[in-house]
Amino acid sequence: MLCIPVLLKETDRAALDRGMATIQSNYANSVKRGRFSPQVAEDRLKRITPTLTYDDFSKVDLVIEAVFEGMALKKAIFQELIASANLAPSSRVNTSTLSIDDIASATSRPESVIGTHFFSPANVMRLLEIVRGKASSKEVVATCMQLSKTLGKVGVLVGNCRGFVGNRMFGPYRREAQFLIEKVRASKRWTRRFPISAWRWGLSATGDPRRTRCRLAYPQKNIVTWKCPGFASRLSKTAFCELGRYGQKTAAGWYKYDDQRRAAPDPAVGELIRKWVEEAGIAQRQISAAEITDRCLYALVNEGARILEEGYALRASDIDIIYINGYGFPAYRGVRCGMPTPWASNGFTTASVNSNASMVKPGSPHRC
């Protein structure tokens, strides 16, 4: 793999030192696990130059910003680059939800701006969604695809819509799971593993490593939401954050965590769910593992079909690649013609699925 010289910019010395310390720790762990030799790790660290200014940015080929998920903040970064006359030939926005076109509108060269959704943790996850904006040039797209190979990533070109491909599909998927948590009589069923489908992480557990305060800091301004007739809001949507349960960062989310970030069931979560259900007057019932699987994966399948229909994925196999490499979908279940459509054609049960208002009806308005 080619080692690329990097300028690492931060706003103050303390933040810059923390960032470098984290990078050094990551390399030390990689050496300990045998992934790199000490010499390779040392050589790569020498290629990182920490800085507090844009002075040397005129020498770089591309800029990747990675600030919090705030539209105003990301636009401000690009305006600073323009003001310092240091907007690189190719500038990348690292985001998982925000509109690349809106961010590019803050520059005088929108053709140089493209989205890069590095999956977290970026030093481990292979998937890289490359998000083409309306004005992104072919040269910038080609350069970004080549960069993904240079970095050892699996790059997939996607369109610019809410959540792009991966997270846009994952939203209705996890949303349905959280409705089921409220509906199912035996909430102990919801362990860290997803029933039947053999994903490494359950749908609740996936939120704990990522849930941060910034999700409350930008609740409606920067995340485009969509509603269909009869749609209900899940009770747990922001309740955990309002209670200070930010996941692994605070050792409490859907699960509680020890100092090694190992998850364990938290009785307090069960009490919270029972409280929400009683206050909302939700009637609970026994729900089979087959129905749980069908309802969650139907939500995933339907959203994938919309993405293909609207042209935000170039081909069904691109969705396969995204879900195998970014979300751990079990490839052995047969992935072809667009994940997880083959799962649907090969394995859906015929059980009656009554998801009431939580499912999208065919023909419901849904556009990015």
Side-chain angles (χ1 to χ4, degrees), residues 43 77 241 272 327:
D43 289 344
I77 295 296
C241 290
L272 286 170
Y327 296 85

Side-chain angles (χ1 to χ4, degrees), residues 102-118:
D102 286 351
I103 296 170
S105 69
T107 78
S108 57
R109 285 165 43 198
E111 70 278 2
S112 297
V113 179
I114 194 169
T116 51
H117 179 200
F118 287 87

Side-chain angles (χ1 to χ4, degrees), residues 228-261:
C228 294
F231 249 49
S233 177
R234 60 191 186 275
L235 301 177
S236 58
K237 184 175 182 180
T238 59
F240 279 174
C241 290
E242 291 168 354
L243 293 171
R245 299 181 70 95
Y246 294 104
Q248 291 183 2
K249 292 178 178 293
T250 56
W254 282 99
Y255 298 88
K256 58 183 178 181
Y257 296 86
D258 60 19
D259 55 1
Q260 298 298 315
R261 294 195 173 190

Side-chain angles (χ1 to χ4, degrees), residues 15-330:
L16 190 59
D17 290 344
R18 285 196 302 272
M20 286 301 301
T22 298
I23 294 170
Q24 290 165 354
S25 175
N26 287 339
Y27 272 113
N29 289 334
S30 294
V31 170
K32 186 177 180 179
R33 293 194 303 267
R35 183 183 178 190
F36 300 129
S37 69
Q39 184 60 49
V40 168
E42 183 180 350
D43 289 344
R44 293 191 177 190
L45 284 168
K46 286 180 179 179
R47 292 179 178 269
I48 302 173
T49 304
T51 182
L52 295 173
T53 71
Y54 289 109
D55 292 348
D56 293 325
F57 273 52
S58 59
K59 304 174 184 177
V60 305
D61 296 309
L62 63 92
V63 174
I64 301 178
E65 65 76 24
V67 298
F68 291 116
E69 288 284 87
M71 181 64 76
L73 179 58
K74 288 183 181 289
K75 285 185 175 181
I77 295 296
F78 279 88
Q79 288 166 353
E80 288 175 5
L81 285 165
I82 294 169
S84 62
N86 284 326
L87 185 64
S90 177
S91 300
R92 283 90 196 264
V93 179
N94 183 43
T95 178
S96 58
T97 55
L98 302 182
S99 170
I100 303 305
D101 295 328
D102 286 351
I103 296 170
S105 69
T107 78
S108 57
R109 285 165 43 198
E111 70 278 2
S112 297
V113 179
I114 194 169
T116 51
H117 179 200
F118 287 87
F119 278 60
S120 180
N123 61 312
V124 175
M125 298 297 289
R126 295 184 66 210
L127 182 65
L128 174 60
E129 278 186 319
I130 298 166
V131 189
R132 177 172 51 193
K134 290 180 180 178
S136 301
S137 70
K138 293 180 180 179
E139 291 77 12
V140 168
V141 171
T143 299
C144 205
M145 294 296 288
Q146 181 59 48
L147 176 67
S148 69
K149 295 181 181 179
T150 302
L151 296 176
K153 302 288 186 183
V154 177
V156 180
L157 185 64
V158 300
N160 178 35
C161 64
R162 172 192 55 82
F164 314 133
V165 171
N167 281 347
R168 173 171 160 179
M169 289 175 63
F170 200 72
Y173 177 45
R174 200 166 82 185
R175 183 178 187 273
E176 186 65 24
Q178 291 175 352
F179 274 123
L180 282 162
I181 290 175
E182 297 164 6
K183 293 284 290 184
V184 69
R185 185 170 295 161
S187 292
K188 289 182 179 178
R189 179 189 306 279
W190 291 90
T191 60
R192 293 178 66 199
R193 289 184 179 272
F194 184 79
I196 299 179
S197 68
W199 286 33
R200 284 188 60 193
W201 287 67
L203 288 168
S204 301
T206 53
D208 280 350
R210 302 182 301 165
R211 188 181 293 111
T212 61
R213 290 173 177 83
C214 70
R215 294 200 175 197
L216 285 184
Y218 307 100
Q220 299 297 330
K221 291 182 180 178
N222 301 305
I223 299 177
V224 178
T225 58
W226 58 279
K227 295 182 179 180
C228 294
F231 249 49
S233 177
R234 60 191 186 275
L235 301 177
S236 58
K237 184 175 182 180
T238 59
F240 279 174
C241 290
E242 291 168 354
L243 293 171
R245 299 181 70 95
Y246 294 104
Q248 291 183 2
K249 292 178 178 293
T250 56
W254 282 99
Y255 298 88
K256 58 183 178 181
Y257 296 86
D258 60 19
D259 55 1
Q260 298 298 315
R261 294 195 173 190
R262 290 175 296 205
D266 190 345
V269 172
E271 292 300 320
L272 286 170
I273 293 172
R274 278 189 284 274
K275 178 183 176 182
W276 297 334
V277 167
E278 289 176 2
E279 291 177 351
I282 297 173
Q284 292 187 315
R285 63 184 176 88
Q286 294 292 339
I287 299 179
S288 69
E291 181 179 338
I292 290 171
T293 301
D294 280 359
R295 286 178 60 169
C296 291
L297 290 183
Y298 267 125
L300 191 67
V301 167
N302 288 343
E303 198 65 21
R306 290 191 184 94
I307 289 169
L308 284 171
E309 180 183 17
E310 295 167 12
Y312 292 113
L314 292 176
R315 57 190 67 86
S317 59
D318 285 353
I319 303 178
D320 298 348
I321 298 300
I322 288 171
Y323 261 78
I324 291 172
N325 291 281
Y327 296 85
F329 190 86

